[in-house]
């Protein structure tokens, strides 16, 4: 192991893992960001034990201290947004402005929950029995296991960690194997922000080893996971079997409905931003563009023009609009779905080919299918790449029906100037989030986030609603 190896953080100490993994830049595979520790199951167990030991004092300690620590962490993230954004873009491949924006989001999330620490009260309710008082309060759960994805390497760790700590839990966090750099930077910031030893533990390593150990361990009271549907289902089955609390954010196959009366520029902007930015690697990405007949051809032509003008290149290079796909395996998935779409009879109207650049990376031209149907696999399965399919609809009613005909339900968007259709869609879209004249991807950090059907399971994340998962309610009856 070399001196540049980034270690795990357990019980307030930086500790070497059982092995290491090499973190590479997807824009330039010869660029090594560093070697990062990989824990084994025993090390995951040590982190859980440390979190368990730290819990009682943290849960009942000074809320001023808790607020101060979260605020300090938020301030440092914001002060270092350019550097952290660069690290993020270098390890994940979203563009530098996107990386910096995400770092700011993470900093703001810590600042928001620093405030929430001081605002978490309860209710006092009169009892039906004279002379008795009832109090309803929230208490922390205990040790929380966080399993975070590669596509938001700093914002998603922040939006799980900040509420977990704010409400008095202790944490073991396992970041995605592909992006340990931002999680390590976050751990380093928290370690210096004054957290007592064991309150926060970073355990980098494989999902099948560290993740499994967290899911199975009886001392982990709650698990919050963002990632694939298959992994999420497996986690839920095991967590529920031992009656642990579980929160899952999984896939999307988000529709963007474009009606005849839409402003064309808004529609094109929503489609291109929602489907392709961050290389389409967002669970909120619009992958189904459901377009009514009267605007269909103009919309397709304008989207193609816009895609032709996008610069796909090194995520860190100035002027890049789309960075690379995150790794070879995701690139293979994207390319295989492009073949599937062709085989199913959709027309590849733009892009879809691997691009050669000065540096070796996983570059893919954004792909637009037209003449797709909602029954095709490219319209039903989450691809998680810069690939979208245009589906024709006769009218608003048919567009809504197609939008809702999906196993997922994260975010549904509509572009229209009709108040009537916008209001109807807002009410009848079967999704956790609805966007009117806005891209489906790109959400605020202080309001609830989550979906319905196959997209999510358990309470919402973010904002004050995060308390639903990270606390447990107690009802106390008091007689004098
Ligand atoms: C956003 O679109 O701003 O993994 C956030 C994801 C989501 C976050 C999307 N949990 O893509």
């Amino acid at each position: 192991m070399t001196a540049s190896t980034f270690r795990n953080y357990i019980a307030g100490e930086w500790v070497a893992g059982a092995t290491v993994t090499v973190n590479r830049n997807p824009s330039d595979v010869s660029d090594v960001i560093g070697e990062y520790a990989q824990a084994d199951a025993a090390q995951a167990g040590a982190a859980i034990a440390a979190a368990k030991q730290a819990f009682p004092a943290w849960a009942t300690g000074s809320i001023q201290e808790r607020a101060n620590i979260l605020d300090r962490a938020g301030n440092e993230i914001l002060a270092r947004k350019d550097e952290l954004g660069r690290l993020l873009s270098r390890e994940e491949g979203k563009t530098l402005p996107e990386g910096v924006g995400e770092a700011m989001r993470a900093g703001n999330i810590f600042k928001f929950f620093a405030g929430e620490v001081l605002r978490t009260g309860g209710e006092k309710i009169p009892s039906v029995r004279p002379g008795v008082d009832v109090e309803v309060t929230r208490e922390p759960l205990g040790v929380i296991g966080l399993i975070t994805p590669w596509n938001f390497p700093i914002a998603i760790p922040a939006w799980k960690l900040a509420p977990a700590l704010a409400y008095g839990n202790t944490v073991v966090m396992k970041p995605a194997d592909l992006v340990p750099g931002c999680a390590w930077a976050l751990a380093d910031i928290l370690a210096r922000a004054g957290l007592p030893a064991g309150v926060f533990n970073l355990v980098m390593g494989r999902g099948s080893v560290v993740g499994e150990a967290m899911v199975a361990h009886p001392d982990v009271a709650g698990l919050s996971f963002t990632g694939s549907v298959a992994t999420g289902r497996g986690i839920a089955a095991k967590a529920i079997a031992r009656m642990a609390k579980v929160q899952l954010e999984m896939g999307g196959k988000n529709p963007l409905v474009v009606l005849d009366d839409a402003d064309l520029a808004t529609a094109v902007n929503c489609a291109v931003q929602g489907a392709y930015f961050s290389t389409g690697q967002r669970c909120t990405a619009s992958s189904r563009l459901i377009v009514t007949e009267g605007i269909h051809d103009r919309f397709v032509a304008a989207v193609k023009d816009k895609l032709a003008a996008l610069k796909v290149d090194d995520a860190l290079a100035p002027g890049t609009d789309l960075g690379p796909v995150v790794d070879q395996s995701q690139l293979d998935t994207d390319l295989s779905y492009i073949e599937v779409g062709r085989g199913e009879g959709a027309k590849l109207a733009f892009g879809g080919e691997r691009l050669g650049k000065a540096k070796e990376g996983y570059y893919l031209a954004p792909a637009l299918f037209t003449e797709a149907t909602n029954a095709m696999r490219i319209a039903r399965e989450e691809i998680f790449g810069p690939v979208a399919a245009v589906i024709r609809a006769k009218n608003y009613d048919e567009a809504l029906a197609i939008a809702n005909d999906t196993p997922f339900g994260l975010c549904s968007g509509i572009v229209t100037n009709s108040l009537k259709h916008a209001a109807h869609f807002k009410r009848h879209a079967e999704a956790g989030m609805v966007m009117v004249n806005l891209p489906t991807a790109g959400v605020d950090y202080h309001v609830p986030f989550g979906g319905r059907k196959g997209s999510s399971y358990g309470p919402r994340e973010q904002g004050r609603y995060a308390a639903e998962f990270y606390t447990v309610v107690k009802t106390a009856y008091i007689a004098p």
Side-chain angles (χ1 to χ4, degrees):
M1 211 177 294
T2 64
S4 68
T5 298
F6 294 89
R7 289 174 293 173
N8 283 325
Y9 187 64
I10 297 171
E13 306 283 343
W14 294 101
V15 291
T19 56
V20 294
T21 186
V22 177
N23 186 3
R24 282 179 195 277
N25 177 350
S27 297
D28 172 7
V29 294
S30 69
D31 176 28
V32 171
I33 296 148
E35 289 188 349
Y36 289 78
Q38 292 262 290
D40 56 16
Q43 200 166 52
I48 294 164
K52 185 182 181 189
Q53 204 186 342
F55 176 68
W58 181 248
T60 55
S62 156
I63 58 168
Q64 184 65 59
E65 184 196 336
R66 246 193 253 164
N68 292 347
I69 290 168
L70 295 180
D71 196 54
R72 270 200 288 280
N75 286 340
E76 179 169 342
I77 295 167
L78 292 176
R80 292 172 56 197
K81 66 180 168 45
D82 294 323
E83 174 212 338
L84 292 168
R86 175 166 285 273
L87 170 65
L88 195 167
S89 297
R90 190 174 160 214
E91 74 173 350
E92 197 269 350
K94 66 181 68 173
T95 65
L96 189 54
E98 289 174 327
V100 173
E102 190 184 324
M104 286 172 67
R105 193 196 295 209
N108 286 326
I109 288 166
F110 273 95
K111 306 255 315 162
F112 175 86
F113 282 105
E116 282 306 286
V117 171
L118 307 179
R119 281 191 286 265
T120 307
E123 283 184 287
K124 188 159 181 252
I125 299 171
S127 168
V128 292
R129 283 168 277 173
V132 174
D133 275 332
V134 183
E135 274 174 17
V136 182
T137 52
R138 289 185 178 274
E139 294 180 2
L141 278 183
V143 177
I144 306 275
L146 305 179
I147 302 176
T148 60
W150 53 259
N151 66 329
F152 282 86
I154 198 161
I156 292 181
W159 89 39
K160 294 185 191 294
L161 251 176
L165 297 174
Y167 296 120
N169 303 282
T170 56
V171 170
V172 177
M173 182 169 91
K174 189 209 93 65
D177 241 2
L178 281 173
V179 293
C182 286
W184 189 93
L186 212 46
D188 172 54
I189 289 168
L190 284 169
R192 286 181 292 95
L195 275 183
V199 169
F200 168 73
N201 303 274
L202 174 73
V203 188
M204 299 177 284
R206 301 199 64 83
S208 56
V209 178
V210 176
E212 285 282 332
M214 286 159 60
V215 172
H217 203 292
D219 289 336
V220 176
L223 288 146
S224 180
F225 165 83
T226 300
S228 72
V229 175
T231 306
R233 280 183 193 277
I235 289 174
K238 289 177 192 145
I240 291 164
R242 67 171 181 83
M243 294 192 206
K245 204 166 174 183
V246 58
Q247 175 182 59
L248 309 171
E249 286 301 337
M250 301 172 288
K253 197 69 198 174
N254 307 293
L256 179 75
V257 170
V258 177
L259 297 185
D260 286 356
D261 65 19
D263 175 65
L264 185 64
T266 304
V268 171
N269 184 48
C270 288
V272 171
Q273 162 64 247
Y276 300 104
F277 278 52
S278 300
T279 320
Q281 298 175 149
R282 296 187 281 196
C283 57
T284 45
S286 328
S287 47
R288 295 183 297 140
L289 308 173
I290 303 164
V291 186
T292 48
E293 294 287 359
I295 197 171
H296 179 278
D297 294 356
R298 281 182 293 140
F299 172 80
V300 168
V303 170
K304 281 166 66 176
D305 284 351
K306 187 110 175 191
L307 291 181
L310 292 182
K311 192 172 155 210
V312 181
D313 209 337
D314 187 328
L316 298 175
T320 294
D321 296 300
L322 302 186
V325 172
V326 74
D327 72 349
Q328 184 67 50
S329 154
Q330 184 62 51
L331 180 64
D332 291 344
T333 300
D334 298 350
L335 289 168
S336 78
Y337 270 108
I338 288 162
E339 284 316 306
V340 165
R342 278 191 169 129
E344 289 178 306
K347 182 177 155 211
L348 185 60
F350 189 91
E353 69 280 2
R354 189 168 182 179
L355 299 172
K357 294 283 161 185
K359 292 168 185 155
E360 196 196 329
Y362 309 111
Y363 298 102
L364 180 64
L368 180 74
F369 280 105
T370 54
E371 311 306 337
T373 73
N374 201 44
M376 292 177 177
R377 282 181 62 200
I378 55 165
R380 301 209 79 77
E381 298 169 17
E382 184 175 52
I383 301 172
F384 221 62
V387 185
V390 179
I391 301 168
R392 282 179 196 267
K394 281 198 277 297
N395 51 34
Y396 168 75
D397 291 333
E398 191 182 67
L400 175 67
I402 295 169
N404 285 338
D405 176 12
T406 171
F408 295 103
L410 188 57
C411 190
S412 292
I414 189 165
V415 187
T416 180
N417 278 319
S418 155
L419 180 59
K420 180 178 149 201
H421 287 138
H424 189 272
F425 189 82
K426 201 151 53 82
R427 171 63 185 84
H428 295 280
E430 292 165 7
M433 297 174 291
V434 178
M435 301 285 183
V436 177
N437 294 326
L438 288 166
T440 56
V443 299
D444 283 7
Y445 66 84
H446 65 309
V447 293
F449 179 93
R452 299 184 185 177
K453 300 199 261 183
S455 289
S456 306
Y457 182 84
R460 291 284 182 264
E461 301 200 80
Q462 302 227 75
R464 304 186 73 178
Y465 284 69
E468 296 295 330
F469 177 72
Y470 291 104
T471 64
V472 60
V473 168
K474 178 174 278 174
T475 312
Y477 294 79
I478 311 118

